[in-house]
Amino acid sequence: MKVIILGGDGFCGWPTSLHLSKQDHEIIIVDNLSRRNIDNELEANSLTPIQPIGTRLAVWEEKTGKKIKFVNLDVAQEYDRLLELIETEKPDAIVHFAEQRAAPYSMRSSKHKRYTVDNNLNATNNVLAAIVESGQDIHLAHLGTMGVYGYGTAGMKIPEGYLDIEVVTDTGDRVQQQILYPTNPGSIYHMTKSQDQIFFFYYNKNDNLRITDLHQGIVWGTNTAETLLDEKLINRFDYDGDYGTVLNRFLMQSAVDYPMTVHGTGGQTRAFIHIRDTVRCVELALTHPPKKGDRVQILNQMTETHRLKDLAELIQKITGGEIAYVPNPRKEDPENELHVRNDLFLDFGLEPTTLEEGLLEEVVTIAKKYADRVDMSKIPATSIWTSSHKAGIPKQ
Ligand code: NAD
Ligand code: USQ
């Protein structure tokens, strides 16, 4: 298969590109390197020493003999170049990772809210419009988020995208329907993913596009079989207050004797997936595309749910690290239950990596190994959801 990977220099996109290249798919990475520029803006860095994209690709070719093309292009701004690329390369599939993905970054200021909306919505609309204009039958697989659903249910398992409902008509008949699960985003970033869902619904209905939307949970871990082939292929590991996600932050914090920053009571429950399973899920999504005329295929890309407090306590058992319950900078429910269906990926053959298998390895091979690269001043989460959240935020 020929696959264009939009956002292929990022945390999920890079190991996915290598994994698909290893399976002999022809890969073209498109990325405008905006994530690296945001590191410059935040004066933060990956915990792991990631190499420039040119070095990454040269080492991959040297190690495996496989070539990956790279195109530096802004998917949200350079529509004509994107269309030309699609028309020239004629890919079988496009994987769309190219969005601003941090909820705290999207809440930093009006400027960051506007950037996140402009970037994410235009990127998604541009890809969809370009596929239509090219006239080609290309399967689009998009990385969405579990946060589209919100994190609470009335005790039921969150279904894969569609909710069964029953309406009573004016004549008293009961009619069964399936609708898109109502969205309940908790940040500007999550709101853009909710809006992406409507773009997919529309382009699928109007233009018959074949689309898979992957509602992914929080990704943890760093390396995959492919990124481990050489240290120069190492994947990104974000730990700063905006881009670091909770489990990787706790692992890094406990490795450098920084008390684990549990927001509020730690009663929040979230869905998780290891990066090794992310790359496998994208491959499974590409090999199980919807047929022409099918509705948007929505898959919940997660393997486990955990309460944050339990995660911190589990890591404490392994590392002896301290836990700090800090005021929550976000506006979110202090506690929630979360039950999620993920039958489709299990049916496709996914064998999940569990927390028990991966945690210790991650602490030792990444968090402790690169601990001397940590800038402690970048650890506190300082982006706040509303001005009333200001008072309790820890000072840097
Ligand atoms: P990332 O920021 O590491 O990677 C995104 C990549 O896209 C970056 O390399 C960036 O430079 C590129 N990009 C952004 N806007 C672009 C544009 N307009 N044109 C070209 N390139 C652009 O993020 P990630 O963690 O790899 O996440 C990838 C996708 O997966 C995102 O859409 C995110 O919403 C989704 N996702 C991530 C997680 C997670 O825990 N990391 C969980 C669920 C969903
Ligand atoms: N949290 C802490 N301590 C920290 C950091 C976070 O307690 O030091 C808490 C947050 O308050 C929140 C939870 O951990 O309750 C998750 O935060 P996160 O930053 O790990 O994850 P989130 O903001 O939801 O975003 C991440 C990715 C995003 C993806 C999403 C999947 O950055 O791209 O879409 O996970 S999901 O959470 O399922 O919506």
Side-chain angles (χ1 to χ4, degrees), residues 355-375:
L355 219 58
E356 289 80 46
E357 295 165 49
L359 270 191
L360 189 60
E361 178 199 327
E362 196 65 26
V363 173
V364 177
T365 60
I366 297 292
K368 283 207 185 296
K369 181 167 180 197
Y370 296 107
D372 61 332
R373 288 173 50 89
V374 171
D375 176 349

Side-chain angles (χ1 to χ4, degrees), residues 177-206:
Q177 290 188 349
Q178 278 200 326
I179 57 167
L180 272 177
Y181 194 92
T183 63
N184 184 7
S187 72
I188 292 285
Y189 154 73
H190 287 97
M191 188 188 69
T192 63
K193 294 286 177 176
S194 302
Q195 301 209 24
D196 281 348
Q197 189 172 261
I198 310 292
F199 281 125
F200 299 139
F201 177 81
Y202 176 74
Y203 278 92
N204 169 263
K205 184 179 75 163
N206 196 62

Side-chain angles (χ1 to χ4, degrees), residues 98-266:
E99 295 185 66
Q100 191 298 100
R101 72 102 176 127
Y105 183 82
S106 77
M107 302 301 287
R108 273 179 93 78
S109 71
S110 306
K111 185 177 147 203
H112 296 88
K113 290 178 185 176
R114 294 175 58 246
Y115 164 71
T116 302
V117 169
D118 286 350
N119 187 63
N120 293 4
L121 298 194
N122 280 318
T124 299
N125 190 42
N126 281 352
V127 181
L128 291 163
I131 294 177
V132 173
E133 193 173 346
S134 75
Q136 295 168 32
D137 179 21
I138 298 168
H139 174 211
L140 177 69
H142 167 257
L143 275 291
T145 175
M146 284 299 302
V148 160
Y149 304 118
Y151 307 104
T153 62
M156 63 184 277
K157 281 191 170 176
I158 294 182
E160 309 216 41
Y162 298 95
L163 181 66
D164 293 322
I165 60 156
E166 185 178 89
V167 288
V168 181
T169 66
D170 290 349
T171 53
D173 293 331
R174 293 178 173 274
V175 179
Q176 266 81 39
Q177 290 188 349
Q178 278 200 326
I179 57 167
L180 272 177
Y181 194 92
T183 63
N184 184 7
S187 72
I188 292 285
Y189 154 73
H190 287 97
M191 188 188 69
T192 63
K193 294 286 177 176
S194 302
Q195 301 209 24
D196 281 348
Q197 189 172 261
I198 310 292
F199 281 125
F200 299 139
F201 177 81
Y202 176 74
Y203 278 92
N204 169 263
K205 184 179 75 163
N206 196 62
D207 301 286
N208 268 326
L209 292 197
R210 291 186 302 123
I211 301 169
T212 299
D213 198 5
L214 302 168
H215 285 192
Q216 185 170 238
I218 301 171
V219 183
W220 68 284
T222 315
N223 280 315
T224 58
E226 290 80 23
T227 65
L228 280 170
L229 283 178
D230 191 294
E231 202 191 11
K232 290 201 171 85
L233 298 173
I234 202 163
N235 198 18
R236 157 184 284 287
F237 182 122
D238 296 313
Y239 68 90
D240 64 277
D242 273 3
Y243 273 87
T245 49
V246 65
L247 180 49
N248 277 5
R249 266 167 73 75
F250 287 176
L251 290 169
M252 177 282 306
Q253 290 167 346
S254 62
V256 298
D257 296 326
Y258 191 102
M260 286 177 268
T261 52
V262 176
H263 292 169
T265 61

